[in-house]
Amino acid sequence: MENLSITTQLLRMSKFPFIQRYMLKKVDSHLYTIIVEDDKRNLHSVKMRKYHFISAMMHSAMKNVRKGRISTYAIQRLNEVLVENAFFKAPEEMKQAKDAFKNKFGYDAPSFITLSPTQACNLKCTGCYASSDPHAKATLAYSVVDRLISEVHTSFGSRFITISGGEPFLYQSEGHTLIDLFDKYKDMFFLIYTNGTLITRELAHELARVGNATPAISVEGFEKETNERRGNNVHRRILEAFDNLRKEGVPFGISVTASNNNIQTLLQDKFYEYYFDQQGATYMWQFHFFPIGRGKEQFDLMLNPADRLKLYEMWEKQITEKKHCIADFWNSGVLTCGCIAYGGNRGYLYIDWNGNIMPCVFVPYYQHNIIDLYNSGKDLTYALQSDFMKNGRKWQQEYGLSNQKAPNNWLMPCSIRDHYDNFRKNILTSEVRGENQEAQEILDDPLYYEKLDSFDKELEKLSDPVWKSKYLNQP
């Protein structure tokens, strides 16, 4: 069955629900074949979670097309720029770049980067990992951002970029904004983490025009939880952003930080029904509050291991029974076969507004800076060869990538949050520095070390039986 022709047929039949449902079943069957039956490397339960996630993504998108919330043009562009390039008919230049990278370095090129081009933000959310500040001036020059994206495109063979912040839509440099980047790199797809308050009808129209960008808008729950963390009336402005995006046919998602303040809300079906079914979100990214940076003193906001497992069960229910496309940065580790930091496991790197190159948004330590590398005649790939990055990739291999039929517990995939003792002893090196003063101070804080290590041991005790029974089929 031809993948792209099916997508085209689904679009053409989007106004005929009965026919579309029939076609969705056929696509589901084909997805099952290529994800579950054709994959000989992974555990059956791992493959099933991957299948359910991709199927949920398709069902969520087509439901919103059918309801007129996403334009057919947006879906066509999504298919052309992301789905086709990433999964089915990648251009020859992409394949050549990926092959050249692997031949030179001995491992697969990163699939994407996350880039925070500016620290500036119009909000000041409690416990923000970015320590964002409305008065912050730290911003990467457009020429540096442009070169970075070009390098990811050419050297990595990637066609996907995540933009974070600060607030990305505040980015301005050398007479350019993000829209200029989207226009220039028409064959790349951009996911933008945003607070949503700047998405006017005009900006939504521009996003519809370029067709290769989707905003993931941050919420904390319903109105009460969102306003408590993000500020008065923020939720109302988010609803206005949703409306603007729906009217312009732009697919959007939500981004949620799970914490002790909103865990009870996130364990209720009505939360997901509200944002997916009523508001028209196509996808959801979920993160767990992690006390790094400015939030290091706020362990009271961090989920306890028992609640984290409850959230895992809710994730499974939503993607399998409800067909809601949700990825949880920690609980969905099976989707990516574990940790995707350090530029390994076909994963990613993070570059902040100062140009510091880090393994992950949640690993606030760096050895190299992209501006310094460019000024010395080097490039982004140079940073990947540090001992810090190599140690992380080595751990990924040992933890499960090298033996995907019997990996270690991928319900604990994170190198820093779930294995803090190992991170400090075997991954972190003496050459690295904290992204900010708080991250540096954490390294000399025995209480911080003790709290995270205690969390990890409790999580292991609770999650190992689940991992063994659900994935390894052990009693």
Side-chain angles (χ1 to χ4, degrees):
M1 185 178 293
E2 174 56 50
N3 303 293
L4 300 182
S5 65
I6 287 176
T7 302
T8 301
Q9 290 178 59
L10 284 171
L11 289 170
R12 289 175 178 171
M13 298 175 180
S14 61
K15 294 183 180 180
F16 302 94
F18 293 107
I19 298 177
Q20 189 192 85
R21 280 195 286 271
Y22 168 75
M23 290 301 302
L24 281 171
K25 288 182 180 179
K26 297 197 72 171
V27 177
D28 262 332
S29 177
H30 185 61
L31 286 173
Y32 184 88
T33 298
I34 62 176
I35 296 173
V36 180
E37 295 181 351
D38 293 350
D39 181 357
K40 307 303 181 185
R41 295 178 302 169
N42 281 299
L43 296 164
H44 179 75
S45 294
V46 168
K47 294 185 289 186
M48 286 301 297
R49 300 305 182 278
K50 292 182 178 185
Y51 159 70
H52 284 302
F53 174 75
I54 297 297
S55 176
M57 180 184 296
M58 177 186 66
H59 280 265
S60 290
M62 296 314 301
K63 177 179 66 178
N64 284 326
V65 171
R66 187 172 66 249
K67 291 186 175 182
R69 295 165 170 170
I70 301 178
S71 68
T72 55
Y73 172 72
I75 292 295
Q76 287 169 340
R77 286 288 287 146
L78 178 66
N79 180 67
E80 293 166 358
V81 178
L82 183 62
V83 177
E84 181 176 354
N85 286 346
F87 300 110
F88 299 122
K89 292 186 177 180
E92 187 61 30
E93 62 177 335
M94 280 183 66
K95 297 177 182 176
Q96 291 176 355
K98 291 177 180 295
D99 289 344
F101 186 98
K102 188 166 186 176
N103 290 336
K104 182 175 182 179
F105 299 109
Y107 62 95
D108 290 310
S111 295
F112 67 104
I113 64 168
T114 293
L115 174 65
S116 291
T118 183
Q119 188 183 16
C121 184
N122 58 324
L123 301 182
K124 194 172 183 179
C125 305
T126 304
C128 175
Y129 77 85
S131 300
S132 300
D133 187 326
H135 306 295
K137 301 297 183 183
T139 296
L140 281 177
Y142 178 82
S143 55
V144 173
V145 172
D146 184 24
R147 183 173 173 181
L148 261 173
I149 295 177
S150 177
E151 187 176 349
V152 171
H153 182 282
T154 303
S155 298
F156 294 174
S158 169
R159 297 296 183 269
F160 182 63
I161 298 283
T162 295
I163 306 291
S164 189
E167 169 48 49
F169 288 118
L170 282 176
Y171 179 74
Q172 291 187 358
S173 173
E174 300 172 355
H176 295 282
T177 67
L178 292 183
I179 297 296
D180 296 308
L181 289 169
F182 305 158
D183 262 327
K184 180 172 182 177
Y185 295 94
K186 296 181 185 297
D187 63 341
M188 299 188 78
F189 199 81
F190 297 84
L191 168 67
I192 313 134
Y193 287 107
T194 170
N195 62 43
T197 61
L198 302 180
I199 301 179
T200 61
R201 184 69 183 270
E202 291 74 20
L203 179 54
H205 179 76
E206 282 294 278
L207 292 173
R209 179 185 63 79
V210 295
N212 61 341
T214 176
I217 298 174
S218 297
V219 298
E220 307 299 328
F222 296 108
E223 181 177 21
K224 177 179 180 293
E225 296 94 343
T226 300
N227 287 347
E228 281 179 352
R229 186 177 185 216
R230 297 186 170 270
N232 292 334
N233 295 318
V234 168
H235 193 263
R236 174 185 58 79
R237 296 166 69 184
I238 288 171
L239 295 184
E240 291 173 358
F242 289 165
D243 187 52
N244 291 331
L245 293 164
R246 287 192 300 264
K247 287 177 179 175
E248 294 293 337
V250 178
F252 65 88
I254 58 172
S255 173
V256 181
T257 300
S259 73
N260 276 336
N261 284 351
N262 64 4
I263 180 60
Q264 296 308 316
T265 297
L266 299 180
L267 292 176
Q268 299 178 51
D269 286 332
K270 65 180 182 180
F271 168 79
Y272 305 94
E273 293 166 355
Y274 175 73
Y275 284 106
F276 280 96
D277 302 333
Q278 295 182 40
Q279 294 300 326
T282 297
Y283 58 88
M284 169 181 160
W285 305 121
Q286 183 159 263
F287 305 90
H288 300 183
F289 180 83
F290 188 28
I292 60 175
R294 194 176 64 184
K296 76 182 182 69
E297 300 298 336
Q298 301 185 37
F299 275 94
D300 58 328
L301 287 177
M302 187 174 173
L303 291 181
N304 62 54
D307 282 340
R308 173 162 155 175
L309 276 186
K310 291 177 184 177
L311 211 52
Y312 167 79
E313 298 289 345
M314 177 57 77
W315 169 70
E316 275 196 335
K317 176 183 179 180
Q318 292 299 319
I319 64 171
T320 58
E321 299 178 21
K322 305 294 184 179
K323 293 293 185 182
H324 291 152
C325 179
I326 300 170
D328 182 315
F329 203 76
W330 286 277
N331 278 336
S332 304
V334 293
L335 297 181
T336 55
C337 296
C339 172
I340 60 171
Y342 307 97
N345 189 13
R346 298 181 181 179
Y348 86 116
L349 296 169
Y350 172 54
I351 298 99
D352 74 0
W353 42 80
N354 292 312
N356 298 326
I357 304 165
M358 287 162 275
C360 172
V361 170
F362 296 98
V363 181
Y365 300 100
Y366 72 99
Q367 184 172 340
H368 294 104
N369 178 283
I370 193 62
I371 299 171
D372 294 339
L373 290 180
Y374 285 163
N375 287 340
S376 62
K378 300 180 178 67
D379 58 21
L380 184 57
T381 59
Y382 183 86
L384 283 165
Q385 311 317 313
S386 72
D387 287 340
F388 183 33
M389 298 291 185
K390 288 180 179 178
N391 289 345
R393 295 195 296 269
K394 180 176 182 289
W395 175 80
Q396 291 170 347
Q397 290 294 326
E398 294 172 347
Y399 195 69
L401 281 182
S402 62
N403 184 16
Q404 294 182 34
K405 283 292 187 181
N408 283 292
N409 182 355
W410 279 338
L411 301 185
M412 296 181 63
C414 182
S415 71
I416 185 170
R417 183 193 186 99
D418 299 338
H419 305 274
Y420 191 70
D421 181 62
N422 180 73
F423 172 79
R424 290 291 300 271
K425 292 177 179 177
N426 299 315
I427 296 179
L428 200 67
T429 66
S430 58
E431 293 84 7
V432 305
R433 290 161 283 176
E435 180 188 18
N436 50 37
Q437 181 179 347
E438 291 85 355
Q440 190 65 39
E441 290 174 351
I442 284 172
L443 298 179
D444 298 317
D445 185 347
L447 181 59
Y448 187 92
Y449 198 128
E450 178 185 337
K451 283 181 174 289
L452 277 189
D453 188 46
S454 175
F455 173 93
D456 296 344
K457 289 174 180 175
E458 179 65 17
L459 180 62
E460 181 179 18
K461 179 181 176 181
L462 294 177
S463 66
D464 266 1
V466 178
W467 172 254
K468 290 175 181 177
S469 64
K470 287 196 172 187
Y471 291 91
L472 301 182
N473 295 320
Q474 296 177 4

